[in-house]
Amino acid sequence: MELPLEFKETTSRLLNDEFPSFIKALETTAPTSIRYNDKSDYVPAGSLVPWCPNAVYLPERPLFTADPLFHAGAYYVQEASSMFLREVVTQFFRGAETVLDLCAAPGGKSTLLAQTLSDNCMLVSNEIIRSRAYVLAENLNKWGRENTLVTNNDASAFGKLRHFFDAIVVDAPCSGEGMFRKDNAAISEWSPQNVEICAARQKDILTDVWDALKPGGILVYSTCTYNEQENEENIKWAASNFDAEIIIPDTVKFPEIVRTDAGCRFYPHKVVGEGFFISVLRKSNDESFRPLTKLQQKKGMKFVKSSELPFLLHEPESRIYVNDNNYVRAYPKPHFDRYMHLNAVLNCIDSGLLVAEIKGKDVIPSAQLALSKALDKNSCVCAEVDRETALAFLKKESIVLSDYPKAYVLICYQNVPLGWVKNLGNRINNLYPQSWKIRMNL
């Protein structure tokens, strides 16, 4: 691995005598880790990730595309160091009611947040690049939580939502030094000038979004890079300019994590994971609290009763159901007004739980409903299939079912739902989304 000279110089000053061990670690194969979903009974074999009890290291990297459980959202492939966010949530804002994941694609931290936070929390996951926002929405749909809203906005759009969020997570775009072992492109794109550009952009992002955080609220800042300019220096700058307090997560159970005066560092020669930095700011309580005085409502929506839907959700009366242009969505009651407001003022890609599409007298269940933790499977006709049939379904090919009624049938693999087919008797319509289908030859 040929590393840039300037990178080696700055990193050797950070690590001193440990620098040779760091370089040696970069020459080894990066570990593979996954975080599994509690919406199913699937628990993979592997050694535990110390700071994330529902995550394991795999002995080798499989072909995830060939595993139906991957497509079902039974687990998410995520770098282990970044899973420390779970510990940060647990220590500082487990009870938050409104949380923003600002730079969320492809969805690793958002799915972690959705699982760690209370089901009553509203999680807003944002991505500025539109194509990546759709990938984010797909991954959150597959993760199966209904208390989410996916947006495609610049950070400045959230600054206008004064004092809206209890916590904000900013996994900032960075120079990517922590990904050198995995991504040769990260090495070729690195330069001291790019580090300066990234550090300046990170300050702009923090400035744009700061007003959206409530007084006393928590902002989590993270990067996958090592240099102090994008990490400690930026956090100290933010604390000084925004009248905020730096609070360092407790790592007494994890001595392999390096604590500094502004955050926690993860080095590949110390942890089983990639390079990562995470820090926490608490906003001052002195700022006068001025909540939003008027919540806007998106127009053209009609309310639907849960009894009008043929597919049941657990605790159906805990939600409000809305027909928006023949798409029925369910929203948790506690935050319904906030969901409607964000739908009105932001560019929303997806929000709440898409339950069904109405076409004439037909109510077509959504793929999102099939993968939702909220779905009551006892209200459905379910078909358990083998791996070969599951992969054919995920390729959106025709499959064969015997002895099933004419109905919408929930296809399951190892008791985990994959999606719907419509059994017409003489043939079956595969309803798996075209944009999600497997395109690889397996």
Side-chain angles (χ1 to χ4, degrees), residues 93 136-137 141 195 208 215 228 280 282-283 300 337 407 415 438:
F93 61 100
L136 170 63
N141 287 170
V195 169
D208 283 343
E228 292 180 307
V280 180
R282 178 182 286 124
K283 192 172 189 176
D337 288 342
N415 204 35
I438 297 175

Side-chain angles (χ1 to χ4, degrees), residues 1-14 19 22-23 180 190:
M1 180 183 293
E2 190 63 34
L3 297 171
L5 177 61
E6 297 94 333
F7 168 77
K8 290 193 289 187
E9 290 174 346
T10 57
T11 310
S12 65
R13 287 195 292 270
L14 277 173
F19 183 67
F22 168 78
I23 293 297
F180 281 0
W190 186 92

